[in-house]
């Protein structure tokens, strides 16, 4: 298996930055994807966007059963939501947002287009947790965190808690 990357955490600026369209898929892209997959499985998580490991390209990986023996990695490059409908409330967490989880309301169905790691066009229709996961990862590619979908109050409380944690031990960054 590939080496894992360090997962960057909020408020790291790369997580708040919109990623760039991938223009060509080469050997380095394949290495990045393999490393992202290894990182996601090791976490474990059900999805990971490239900027979570410090790379600003529009690439995401996901696997809704990351712990299974029969895991099945999926890769999406330059994904775009072309249709969405319905409504779902789901308790979200994020590998890049430590010690916080909250209900987020999103469309319960999305149709997503992009290309796979070979550059072949793919269209995906996703519902429920699958739809939540894809929207969460595509948000990352746009520099958006699930924190941006929770109430102002909850976000403020989290920032306060995080400031305390950073003061105690972690690297001090501006919030
Ligand atoms: O592993 C993850 N689980 C999860 C649960 C609910 C909603 C979204 C997610 S994605 C998250 C991994 C992650 O942070 N991907 O960016
Ligand atoms: Ni996330």
């Amino acid at each position: 298996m590939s080496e894992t990357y360090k997962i960057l955490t909020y408020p790291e600026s790369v997580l708040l930055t919109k990623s760039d369209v991938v223009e060509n898929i080469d050997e380095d892209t394949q290495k990045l994807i393999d490393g992202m997959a290894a990182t996601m499985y090791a976490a474990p998580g059900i999805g990971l966007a490239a900027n979570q490991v410090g790379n600003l390209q529009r690439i995401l990986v996901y696997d809704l059963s990351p712990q299974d023996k029969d895991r099945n990695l999926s890769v999406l490059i330059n994904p775009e939501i072309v249709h969405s409908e319905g409504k779902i409330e789901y308790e979200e967490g994020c590998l890049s947002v430590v010690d916080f989880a909250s209900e987020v309301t999103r469309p319960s169905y999305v149709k997503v287009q992009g290309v796979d790691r070979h550059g072949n066009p793919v269209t995906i229709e996703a519902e429920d947790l699958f739809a939540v996961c894809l929207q969460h990862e595509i948000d990352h590619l746009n520099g958006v965190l699930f924190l941006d979908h929770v109430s102002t109050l909850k976000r403020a409380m989290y920032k306060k808690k995080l400031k305390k944690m950073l003061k105690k031990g972690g690297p001090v960054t501006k919030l």
Side-chain angles (χ1 to χ4, degrees), residues 138-154:
I138 291 169
D139 269 356
H140 274 303
L141 300 182
N142 292 322
V144 172
L145 296 172
F146 84 101
L147 280 178
D148 298 314
H149 295 290
V150 309
S151 73
T152 317
L153 179 64
K154 274 194 175 169

Side-chain angles (χ1 to χ4, degrees), residues 16-167:
L16 309 175
T17 305
K18 187 171 167 159
S19 293
D20 303 313
V21 169
V22 177
E23 302 283 3
N24 64 312
I25 301 169
D26 57 20
E27 234 171 89
D28 287 347
T29 316
Q30 303 303 337
K31 270 193 200 152
L32 172 64
I33 290 167
D34 289 339
M36 286 172 62
T39 306
M40 174 181 73
Y41 288 126
I46 58 171
L48 193 76
N51 65 336
Q52 294 182 270
V53 297
N55 188 299
L56 284 169
Q57 298 191 74
R58 301 186 77 80
I59 301 174
L60 63 85
V61 296
Y62 63 91
D63 187 337
L64 297 182
S65 332
Q67 322 205 46
D68 291 359
K69 288 292 161 235
D70 54 356
R71 32 174 81 153
N72 187 16
L73 179 72
S74 292
V75 178
L76 261 182
I77 298 173
N78 300 335
E80 273 190 81
I81 297 171
V82 296
H83 183 74
S84 64
E85 62 182 75
K87 208 180 223 209
I88 185 174
E89 214 177 285
Y90 199 91
E91 171 105 346
E92 296 196 22
C94 180
L95 296 170
S96 296
V97 181
V98 293
D99 286 326
F100 186 68
S102 184
E103 298 267 322
V104 173
T105 303
R106 300 180 184 271
S108 59
Y109 165 90
V110 287
K111 186 169 169 181
V112 175
Q113 292 185 335
V115 302
D116 66 16
R117 68 188 299 167
H118 309 294
N120 298 316
V122 285
T123 300
I124 297 160
E125 292 185 278
E127 279 188 312
D128 304 322
L129 174 60
F130 187 11
V132 170
C133 175
L134 288 179
Q135 290 173 83
H136 177 112
E137 303 314 334
I138 291 169
D139 269 356
H140 274 303
L141 300 182
N142 292 322
V144 172
L145 296 172
F146 84 101
L147 280 178
D148 298 314
H149 295 290
V150 309
S151 73
T152 317
L153 179 64
K154 274 194 175 169
R155 190 165 52 246
M157 290 191 322
Y158 177 65
K159 284 191 184 182
K160 201 170 150 188
K161 177 170 130 179
L162 193 60
K163 255 185 195 164
K164 257 188 199 162
M165 295 187 350
L166 293 174
K167 217 186 251 176

